[in-house]
Amino acid sequence: MRTYYSVWRLRMATGLQYRAAALAGVSTQMFFGFLFIMIMAAFYSHASTPAPMSLSEVTAYIWLQQAFLVFIMLWYRDSDIFQLITKGNIAYELCRPCGIYEFWYAKLLAMRLSSALLRCLPILVIAAVLPRPFRLIPPPDAAALLLFVGALVLGLLVLVAISMLIYISVFWTMSPTGSTLLFAVAGEFLAGMVIPVPLMPQWLQQVTYALPFRWTADFPFRVYSGQIGSAEALWGMAAQLGWLFALVTIGKWLLRKALRQVVVQGG
């Protein structure tokens, strides 16, 4: 474990150096936050039937999406790992005295965490002092806040496990762009990144509930606003742990299978 902790710590220190990029990311994400809220406010002002989420809950959902974007977007990637696979340098990784899955998992986790630490706080502070309907509402009580933090962390672990499948798929496809697009487009829509899951048609909600993507974004954000109660949130966190175990097990099995078929040519 000390090896993986050292990898995680070094990647965190590297990621925290890119402050100018984080500042640019904050301004971009604030812009998209305003844009999405204005679109939703226009829909709500002309709605003829009561919506399953209030506009304040949708606003909180959108600001949390923007603040923790690197926790939940699947197209955020480490190009070095893709190059190791496609250029044949995976041979160097095989020489490391540690597990490749755990090594990459620690790197990816630190990369997302360091980026979020630089961006989330400014967005949350600014959103909390904006006038309505742009204001980020606080959670209903301390229990909702604590459950949100736990669900968000578990959602991050699930997302990294899903993103590991993207990297492993490149052993067969040899196309990082194709694998990333396939997972990102479908996964982020089913996670509620385009439309909050409660606003989807009933049949589509059933599809999202059967897949792991909603546990990375939709679930923690609805726990924050109190739309998912404490008892249901605890069951949801147990489901997150179940998905995490299943995805890591599948990922390790696929990686072992891929590595058995690797052929590296050249000197």
Side-chain angles (χ1 to χ4, degrees), residues 28-63:
T28 303
Q29 287 158 229
M30 288 297 300
F31 169 78
F32 279 105
F34 281 117
L35 183 65
F36 293 148
I37 291 171
M38 285 190 285
I39 292 171
M40 285 296 176
F43 276 119
Y44 271 69
S45 65
H46 293 86
S48 56
T49 57
M53 294 179 74
S54 68
L55 182 58
S56 296
E57 290 173 342
V58 173
T59 300
Y61 197 102
I62 292 171
W63 282 128

Side-chain angles (χ1 to χ4, degrees), residues 34-234:
F34 281 117
L35 183 65
F36 293 148
I37 291 171
M38 285 190 285
I39 292 171
M40 285 296 176
F43 276 119
Y44 271 69
S45 65
H46 293 86
S48 56
T49 57
M53 294 179 74
S54 68
L55 182 58
S56 296
E57 290 173 342
V58 173
T59 300
Y61 197 102
I62 292 171
W63 282 128
L64 293 173
Q65 271 187 358
Q66 297 304 316
F68 298 102
L69 193 64
V70 293
F71 273 25
I72 52 184
M73 59 186 180
L74 283 167
W75 50 265
Y76 190 68
R77 58 187 183 179
D78 185 338
S79 299
D80 291 342
I81 295 179
F82 283 134
Q83 288 186 8
L84 287 172
I85 299 170
T86 57
K87 303 294 184 185
N89 291 334
I90 189 67
Y92 297 116
E93 296 291 277
L94 294 172
C95 296
R96 295 186 188 279
C98 61
I100 293 180
Y101 188 94
E102 293 82 358
F103 186 82
W104 288 355
Y105 192 99
K107 278 182 66 179
L108 296 173
L109 183 63
M111 182 177 73
R112 289 180 182 273
L113 196 56
S114 60
S115 185
L117 287 176
L118 290 174
R119 300 180 187 204
C120 69
L121 192 58
I123 294 175
L124 294 176
V125 170
I126 295 171
V129 298
L130 290 172
R132 293 184 182 277
F134 299 102
R135 182 181 300 167
L136 171 66
I137 58 171
D141 50 42
L145 179 61
L146 289 175
L147 289 169
F148 161 71
V149 173
L152 188 68
V153 171
L154 287 174
L156 171 63
L157 297 177
V158 171
L159 186 85
V160 175
I162 294 173
S163 69
M164 283 293 296
L165 297 178
I166 300 176
Y167 295 99
I168 294 168
S169 70
V170 177
F171 280 101
W172 287 280
T173 65
M174 298 305 288
S175 169
T177 303
S179 295
T180 305
L181 280 176
L182 184 65
F183 274 85
V185 172
E188 292 181 5
F189 181 81
L190 294 169
M193 294 287 287
V194 180
I195 304 172
V197 171
L199 302 184
M200 293 180 179
Q202 195 64 36
W203 67 269
L204 191 54
Q205 289 186 37
Q206 298 304 319
V207 174
T208 63
Y209 291 156
L211 296 171
F213 302 105
R214 72 171 287 262
W215 300 107
T216 65
D218 174 74
F219 174 68
F221 298 162
R222 288 168 62 193
V223 170
Y224 174 90
S225 62
Q227 208 198 25
I228 294 179
S230 299
E232 191 180 352
L234 289 173

